Amino acid sequence: MNPSQPPNPKRSSVSPFRPTVRGCVGQDPPLARVAEEFYHELLTSSVAYTYRSLLAEEEDPLLADRLDGFSVEDAEHFRMLGRLILALGGDPTHRTRITVGGEHASLPSALPALLQETLVGEKRLIDRLETLMGKSRDRVVRSLLSYILEDHSRRLRFLEKEHADRTRK
């Protein structure tokens, strides 16, 4: 963690490791194009977590805060990946329209479905991250992607537990 910056209160575990693109071996436009696809998913994921946080706010403020924290993490990941795409010779411009699926249903009945939808999205992001990591041998690229993967894996464990707890009730 950078001592000159205060810790992010929304972040559940702040790692002292902050990956950078310094030392990236060189430009790799094909890898940059693959990373650009994931880059767009991260932005959509951040927006989706904000939306889900708003839906959960009244029924479960603690869960809403956690989902909001995930949104903040994804925004941080979005920025890191944008830097990486530039370093690889790509263009991290976001050109698509953001939409978040789902119906605004009455809570609490919608909360398990909301968590299930969130789990599916996290699993898809983790799969994409692992695929992206497998396409590079650059230690800097892999280090940055590993950092993001670690956050998403931790998040998945939390969501799986939340979903299991709520479906047992």
Side-chain angles (χ1 to χ4, degrees):
M1 185 168 74
N2 183 344
S4 66
Q5 294 176 333
N8 183 341
K10 296 281 187 187
R11 191 169 173 94
S12 54
S13 64
V14 177
S15 168
F17 171 69
R18 285 285 188 261
T20 69
V21 295
R22 239 177 280 132
C24 192
V25 174
Q27 296 203 346
D28 186 345
L31 181 60
R33 281 190 293 283
V34 173
E36 287 168 14
E37 292 172 23
F38 183 66
Y39 181 73
H40 300 296
E41 282 189 41
L42 274 176
L43 180 59
T44 301
S45 177
S46 180
V47 171
Y49 273 112
T50 298
Y51 172 73
R52 291 171 183 146
S53 172
L54 292 170
L55 290 179
E57 229 166 37
E58 281 188 42
E59 180 63 30
D60 191 334
L62 292 175
L63 176 63
D65 283 348
R66 194 70 182 260
L67 294 173
D68 196 48
F70 294 160
S71 175
V72 171
E73 283 179 356
D74 275 351
E76 179 184 340
H77 298 160
F78 183 73
R79 185 173 185 81
M80 282 191 272
L81 197 58
R83 285 187 182 125
L84 177 63
I85 291 166
L86 285 171
L88 293 172
D91 177 12
T93 304
H94 187 72
R95 296 178 187 87
T96 61
R97 212 170 152 205
I98 299 168
T99 57
V100 178
E103 300 273 329
H104 180 71
S106 62
L107 294 173
S109 62
L111 212 43
L114 180 120
L115 285 169
Q116 179 61 38
E117 181 182 327
T118 305
L119 278 168
V120 169
E122 272 306 312
K123 288 175 181 175
R124 187 182 69 246
L125 283 171
I126 288 170
D127 285 345
R128 295 290 301 266
L129 265 170
E130 289 172 342
T131 299
L132 188 55
M133 280 182 67
K135 292 181 183 274
S136 177
R137 287 200 163 92
D138 187 306
R139 69 172 180 75
V140 173
V141 171
R142 293 181 61 79
S143 175
L144 186 137
L145 295 175
S146 177
Y147 174 83
I148 295 172
L149 181 62
E150 184 180 314
D151 278 349
H152 283 272
S153 296
R154 175 186 40 77
R155 184 184 302 178
L156 180 63
R157 288 188 299 275
F158 166 79
L159 292 167
E160 287 172 334
K161 182 182 179 317
E162 278 294 310
H163 186 260
D165 290 349
R166 288 172 193 281
T167 52
R168 268 185 267 163
K169 291 180 183 178

